């Protein structure tokens, strides 16, 4: 059973960090002050309250569950939890003054168990939550990040009453064959407690399942149509013998409808353990993704990712964005001709991935291991592993997600970082063998990618801002050819490129001024055509669909926003978006491919060694080289 605790909560700002000392977590303290505390509707970021717009610190939230009659809990048969879908950043919960624990993290769900002694069956229940979102060195992300530090309880809050004996998690993968046949592998993890009382009798101790075909649920396909009734296409049961708590079974389909961005066909499976009332429901799609002959393949066919990135932010909501607004974003991205979305740099609300499953958009999802976190701290590594595990397990069954990213612009030339990322990537591959793994490198590191890192990823991802932060966009062609490495048949994805532009700021000069829409067009337009002309590039993502708030962007054109969006922070379409969708697949004319190459060859032979030596020296200063034989591949075009 699920009871939503969304709605009006009281709150109190604790800017002097007095709450713990004054015991704001006690029901006596709270019930004496209940009436004169302000209210906020949760889930929400507290920054939507004008006086708290830039507040970073501690805020306490208070909720009284009056209607205890609806929630009778038989603690012999059931467990009681309070689940938060996401809180930024540090959460501490008390129920009726009992300490239920703390959680650290910012973009993923977690739950606290509420024990019998903590819960009142006959009277009110007080839920008190202390939330703190300071930026700290040993957190993920660390002190600096190029996004706004939205604080608070910003995704759903739910009371969960669950059978003690239950299905804990289900993961579905599929093997597609060249004909229409497919084999579904259904992996189940159960919670079967030790004591006899709560275990169903043996004949009940199996999993009954029903498989439904849902078809194409995309808006375009269903505009104005009656929601088609899903039909059961197969059913059965799987005996879990000897009370084992995990295992998997297979389901063979003769006529499997594969999920692709063009045909986002979906299925659903209901699983019931014994005679439990509420089935465990999983919606999924049938598709495979892998790398073959240096290309990303979807259902055994090569595919190129043409995408944009998106921060989870929409004014005036902050991160607590209504589902219909998220769907509008996805439909707009598709309408502009893109087939992929990078939900940078962290897991968004799960509804985004449900929508992308339905509308057909490929996803690159990431945890916020961002820039220079404290790679030599074991506690930080354990936190990163927990975040990676949580993201993969939460979103495992979304067919739209094809790649898990373990981080962004991390200094892999530094030994501690390389070891940290190796552990993380290997851990991820153990829990999901059905997807690609990588992490995004910044451009200069990409030029000297250590082989020990190349071996750990399925695709190589590079963020480049040639033409915006450095060099001219006409140098891009030359430098991209330098990304190829002798050691790798692995494809490259340009995970970030782009330029800033303030909406409405125009310049008709031959070389338009920075932050003009025309400058943004010139950089993105040329970049896309060059990338589409490179066979070893399997995809690219424009950095950024929409302008977003950032503490770091304060010049007169930015005024607190990163302006690399192709639409403004209120969805006004900039000039570059009017070039779509025709620009998305366009290649550079052959004659232009060699333009500016000559001018840059000089650069190559004059300055490139300096850049390479500088990056080596910087890496030596920053840390040590990876210990795998120091074989750095100074990559240069074959035959040069
Ligand atoms: C970096 C980083 C982004 C940032 C972007 C920028 O590559 O990955 O998070 O917003 O560049 O400079 O705008």
């Amino acid at each position: 059973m699920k009871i939503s605790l969304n709605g009006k909560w009281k709150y109190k700002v604790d800017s002097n960090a007095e709450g713990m000392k004054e015991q704001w977590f006690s029901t006596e303290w709270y019930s004496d002050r209940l009436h004169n505390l302000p209210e906020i509707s949760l889930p929400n970021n507290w920054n939507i309250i004008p006086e708290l717009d830039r507040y970073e610190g501690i805020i306490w939230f208070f909720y009284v569950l009056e209607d205890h009659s609806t929630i009778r809990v038989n603690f012999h048969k059931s467990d009681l939890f309070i689940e938060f879908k996401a809180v930024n950043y540090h959460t501490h919960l008390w129920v009726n003054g009992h300490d239920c624990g703390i959680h650290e993290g910012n973009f993923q769900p977690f739950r606290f168990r509420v024990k019998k002694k903590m819960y009142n069956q006959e009277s009110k229940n007080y839920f008190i939550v202390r939330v703190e979102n300071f930026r700290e060195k040993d957190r993920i992300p660390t002190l600096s990040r190029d996004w706004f530090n939205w604080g608070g309880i910003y995704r759903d809050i739910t009371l969960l009453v669950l059978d003690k004996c239950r299905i804990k998690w289900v993961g579905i993968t599929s093997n597609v064959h060249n004909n229409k046949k497919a084999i579904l592998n259904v992996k189940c993890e159960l919670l079967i407690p030790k004591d006899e009382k709560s275990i169903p009798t043996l004949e009940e101790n199996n999993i009954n399942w029903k498989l439904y075909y849902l078809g194409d649920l995309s808006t375009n396909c269903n505009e104005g149509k009656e929601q088609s009734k899903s039909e059961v296409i197969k059913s059965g049961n799987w005996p879990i013998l000897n009370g084992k708590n995990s295992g998997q079974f297979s389901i063979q389909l003769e006529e499997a409808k594969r999920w692709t961005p063009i045909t986002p066909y979906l299925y659903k499976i209901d699983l019931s353990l014994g005679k439990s009332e509420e089935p465990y429901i999983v919606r999924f799609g049938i598709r495979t993704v892998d790398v073959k002959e240096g290309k990303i393949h979807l259902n055994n066919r090569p595919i190129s990712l043409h995408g944009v990135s998106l921060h989870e932010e929409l004014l005036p909501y902050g991160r607590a964005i209504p589902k219909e607004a998220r769907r509008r974003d996805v439909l707009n991205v598709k309408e502009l001709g893109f087939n992929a979305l990078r939900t940078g740099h962290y897991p968004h609300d799960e509804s985004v991935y449900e929508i992308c499953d339905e509308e057909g958009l490929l996803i690159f999802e990431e945890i916020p291991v961002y820039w220079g976190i404290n790679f030599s701290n074991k506690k930080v590594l354990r936190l990163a592993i927990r975040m990676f595990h949580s993201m993969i397990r939460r979103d495992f069954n979304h067919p739209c997600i094809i790649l898990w990213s373990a981080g962004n612009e991390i200094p892999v030339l530094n030994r501690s970082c390389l070891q940290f990322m190796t552990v993380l990537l290997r851990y991820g591959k153990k829990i999901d063998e059905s997807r690609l793994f990588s992490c995004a490198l910044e451009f200069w590191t990409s030029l000297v990618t250590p082989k020990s890192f190349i071996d750990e990823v399925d695709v190589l991802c590079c963020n480049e801002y040639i033409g915006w932060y450095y060099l001219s966009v006409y140098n891009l062609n030359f430098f991209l050819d330098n990304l190829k490495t002798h050691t790798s048949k692995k494809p490259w994805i340009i995970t970030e490129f782009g330029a800033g532009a303030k909406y409405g700021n125009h310049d008709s000069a031959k070389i338009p001024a920075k932050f003009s829409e025309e400058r943004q067009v010139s950089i993105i337009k040329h970049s896309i055509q060059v990338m589409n002309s490179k066979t070893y590039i399997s995809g690219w993502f424009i950095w950024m669909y929409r302008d977003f708030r950032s503490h770091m962007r304060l010049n007169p054109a930015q005024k607190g926003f990163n302006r690399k969006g192709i639409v403004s922070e209120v969805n006004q379409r900039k000039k570059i978006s009017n070039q779509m969708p025709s620009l998305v697949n366009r290649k550079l004319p052959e004659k232009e491919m060699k333009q500016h190459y000559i001018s840059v060859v000089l650069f190559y032979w004059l300055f490139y060694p300096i850049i390479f030596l500088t990056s080596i020296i910087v890496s030596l200063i920053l840390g040590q080289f990876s210990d795998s034989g120091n074989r750095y591949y100074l990559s240069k075009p074959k035959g040069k």
Side-chain angles (χ1 to χ4, degrees):
M1 177 167 62
K2 293 182 176 181
I3 301 97
S4 173
L5 298 186
N6 292 352
K8 293 287 182 215
W9 286 58
K10 301 279 190 178
Y11 72 91
K12 182 170 177 54
V13 178
D14 189 4
S15 43
N16 301 320
E18 296 157 331
M20 293 300 281
K21 183 162 52 46
E22 295 176 5
Q23 301 203 345
W24 294 4
F25 49 80
S26 69
T27 42
E28 297 71 26
W29 182 91
Y30 171 63
S31 36
D32 293 351
R33 295 163 177 77
L34 173 66
H35 303 296
N36 56 13
L37 290 182
E39 280 190 347
I40 181 172
S41 171
L42 292 185
N44 257 315
N45 292 108
W46 62 55
N47 313 85
I48 60 160
I49 298 170
E51 61 272 27
L52 298 176
D53 174 55
R54 292 184 170 279
Y55 181 74
E56 287 182 314
I58 306 165
I59 294 188
W60 292 68
F61 297 91
F62 308 86
Y63 186 91
V64 183
L65 183 67
E66 308 272 357
D67 183 11
H68 52 83
S69 57
T70 56
I71 311 167
R72 288 212 173 286
V73 183
N74 169 357
F75 281 93
H76 290 300
K77 194 173 149 303
S78 306
D79 290 326
L80 178 62
F81 295 94
I82 179 167
E83 178 183 70
F84 296 87
K85 288 291 191 188
V87 179
N88 184 35
Y89 176 89
H90 185 282
T91 310
H92 196 159
L93 169 73
W94 291 265
V95 174
N96 299 318
H98 297 283
D99 186 338
C100 283
I102 59 173
H103 175 269
E104 177 178 351
N106 33 22
F107 298 103
Q108 290 151 297
F110 58 96
R111 54 176 70 160
F112 293 111
R113 179 191 292 276
V114 180
K115 295 189 180 111
K116 183 177 178 188
K117 66 175 181 176
M118 301 172 175
Y119 186 70
N120 298 330
Q121 302 266 26
E122 306 305 328
S123 61
K124 292 179 188 175
N125 284 283
Y126 293 83
F127 296 100
I128 296 177
V129 190
R130 177 186 184 275
V131 177
E132 171 261 289
N133 76 331
F134 290 116
R135 286 177 268 177
E136 310 247 0
K137 176 172 165 293
D138 290 344
R139 289 184 166 180
I140 297 179
T142 183
L143 294 161
S144 60
R145 73 292 293 272
D146 191 12
W147 66 78
F148 189 74
N149 186 22
W150 294 96
I153 305 172
Y154 65 96
R155 293 183 194 158
D156 292 340
I157 315 134
T158 313
L159 262 186
L160 299 173
V161 184
L162 303 176
D163 291 343
K164 273 191 186 303
C165 189
R166 60 181 178 267
I167 297 172
K168 234 174 47 167
W169 181 79
V170 173
I172 298 174
T173 54
S174 39
N175 308 325
V176 292
H177 299 269
N178 290 335
N179 53 25
K180 295 189 173 177
K181 203 167 81 172
I183 308 276
L184 304 183
N185 304 306
V186 184
K187 185 174 181 196
C188 299
E189 289 179 9
L190 312 176
L191 193 64
I192 299 186
K194 298 284 173 282
D195 59 316
E196 291 303 311
K197 290 188 291 305
S198 53
I199 292 183
T201 53
L202 194 57
E203 65 270 17
E204 293 168 343
N205 192 6
N206 58 17
I207 287 191
N208 304 299
W209 54 268
K210 282 183 185 154
L211 178 64
Y212 299 80
Y213 173 62
L214 303 178
D216 180 339
L217 303 181
S218 62
T219 303
N220 296 340
C221 176
N222 289 289
E223 202 85 67
K225 274 188 203 165
E226 176 62 22
Q227 177 67 34
S228 58
K229 288 274 168 288
S230 51
E231 81 246 26
V232 177
I233 54 173
K234 271 204 159 182
S235 62
N237 73 59
W238 175 55
I240 308 157
L241 303 178
N242 326 319
K244 272 190 301 184
N245 57 12
S246 75
Q248 76 175 28
F249 62 95
S250 302
I251 302 172
Q252 178 155 319
L253 288 180
E254 298 312 319
E255 293 272 322
K257 306 279 274 184
R258 284 160 183 59
W259 188 94
T260 73
I262 314 294
T263 59
Y265 298 129
L266 292 172
Y267 290 78
K268 174 176 83 109
I269 186 167
D270 292 3
L271 303 115
S272 303
L273 177 58
K275 292 191 171 166
S276 60
E277 296 88 47
E278 293 179 53
Y280 188 103
I281 298 173
V282 178
R283 200 177 74 169
F284 65 96
I286 296 176
R287 63 108 185 90
T288 57
V289 61
D290 52 17
V291 168
K292 286 190 278 249
E293 296 107 41
K295 280 274 180 206
I296 296 174
H297 282 64
L298 187 75
N299 299 327
N300 300 321
R301 291 204 183 104
I303 187 166
S304 288
L305 309 181
H306 295 155
V308 284
S309 290
L310 180 68
H311 265 297
E312 185 177 43
E313 178 189 287
L314 178 64
L315 301 184
Y317 310 106
R319 297 197 192 288
I321 304 168
K323 189 165 182 176
E324 58 277 7
R326 295 181 194 267
R327 188 176 300 275
R328 266 199 308 278
D329 281 345
V330 168
L331 291 173
N332 289 341
V333 166
K334 281 202 62 120
E335 190 191 313
L336 288 171
F338 301 112
N339 67 358
L341 182 70
R342 180 187 180 203
T343 50
H345 291 287
Y346 40 76
H348 290 200
D349 183 85
E350 195 171 357
S351 59
V352 170
Y353 309 106
E354 290 161 4
I355 293 167
C356 291
D357 288 341
E358 294 164 3
E359 302 297 348
L361 207 53
L362 295 163
I363 290 280
F364 180 117
E365 191 179 357
E366 190 162 82
I367 55 171
V369 170
Y370 182 88
W371 290 354
I373 66 165
N374 187 349
F375 292 107
S376 51
N377 181 315
K378 288 276 173 284
K379 174 181 167 289
V380 175
L381 175 59
R382 282 194 299 274
L383 177 58
I385 288 173
R386 182 159 58 76
M387 286 181 169
F388 214 28
H389 180 275
S390 170
M391 172 176 75
I392 293 173
R393 297 273 288 197
R394 184 194 77 169
D395 296 338
F396 189 91
N397 293 306
H398 292 291
C400 63
I401 301 169
I402 57 168
L403 188 142
W404 302 118
S405 168
N408 180 68
E409 296 201 349
I410 32 89
V412 289
L413 295 178
N414 171 288
R415 180 210 289 269
S416 309
C417 172
L418 188 57
Q419 287 168 343
F420 186 104
M421 298 313 290
T422 302
V423 170
L424 204 45
L425 287 161
R426 288 181 185 173
Y427 176 84
K429 288 182 175 182
K430 267 201 311 223
I431 55 178
D432 184 359
E433 295 167 356
S434 70
R435 288 183 173 86
L436 306 177
F437 282 83
S438 188
C439 57
L441 301 178
E442 56 78 37
F443 180 64
W444 302 107
T445 306
S446 306
L447 290 176
V448 285
T449 317
K451 184 177 177 321
S452 37
F453 175 76
I454 292 173
D455 294 344
E456 297 301 331
V457 295
D458 298 304
V459 297
L460 292 151
C461 295
C462 159
N463 296 348
E464 59 83 6
Y465 284 96
I466 293 178
W468 178 253
Y469 287 128
Y470 34 79
L471 301 170
S472 148
V473 71
Y474 298 105
N475 302 146
L476 177 66
N477 182 15
F478 170 82
F479 275 98
L480 284 185
D481 282 349
N482 276 270
L483 286 181
K484 280 187 296 186
T485 64
H486 311 293
T487 58
S488 156
K489 291 283 167 284
K490 297 178 181 176
W492 281 90
I493 296 179
I494 306 301
T495 27
E496 285 184 34
F497 71 101
K502 176 139 178 50
Y503 175 77
N505 181 18
H506 295 287
D507 183 354
S508 54
K510 188 165 182 301
I511 301 182
K514 271 201 138 177
F515 289 103
S516 67
E517 292 190 39
E518 290 71 19
R519 180 70 168 263
Q520 186 183 47
V521 167
S522 68
I523 291 174
I524 292 178
K525 189 171 174 184
H526 187 78
S527 301
I528 286 177
Q529 295 177 85
V530 171
M531 291 176 197
N532 287 345
S533 312
K534 302 290 180 188
T535 55
Y536 55 84
I537 291 181
S538 259
W540 44 259
F541 291 83
I542 299 174
W543 185 258
M544 180 38 81
Y545 173 66
R546 180 166 47 232
D547 291 355
F548 59 94
R549 289 188 70 177
S550 169
H551 308 266
M552 298 171 64
R553 306 294 172 171
L554 302 172
N555 75 29
Q558 296 167 319
K559 293 203 172 98
F561 285 85
N562 183 313
R563 298 259 176 231
K564 294 192 184 67
I566 61 174
V567 302
S568 75
E569 69 275 20
V570 290
N571 286 325
Q572 298 153 309
R573 286 193 172 186
K574 299 178 189 174
K575 222 169 175 179
I576 181 62
S577 56
N578 301 328
Q579 303 268 334
M580 315 291 172
S582 63
L583 171 60
V584 169
N585 294 302
R586 198 181 305 158
K587 292 187 177 180
L588 203 61
E590 192 50 41
K591 65 178 177 17
E592 289 184 41
M593 279 304 278
K594 288 301 172 200
Q595 262 184 12
H596 312 289
Y597 224 87
I598 304 301
S599 63
V600 185
V601 165
L602 198 62
F603 170 86
Y604 183 92
W605 292 111
L606 280 180
F607 297 109
Y608 194 76
I610 298 171
I611 287 190
F612 177 66
L613 290 173
T614 315
S615 60
I616 296 296
I617 293 161
V618 167
S619 315
L620 280 172
I621 295 166
L622 278 177
Q624 296 76 22
F625 276 122
S626 74
D627 51 10
S628 60
N630 290 358
R631 281 176 298 137
Y632 283 87
Y633 286 77
L634 169 58
S635 53
K636 60 184 178 189
K638 282 203 182 336
K640 283 279 178 226

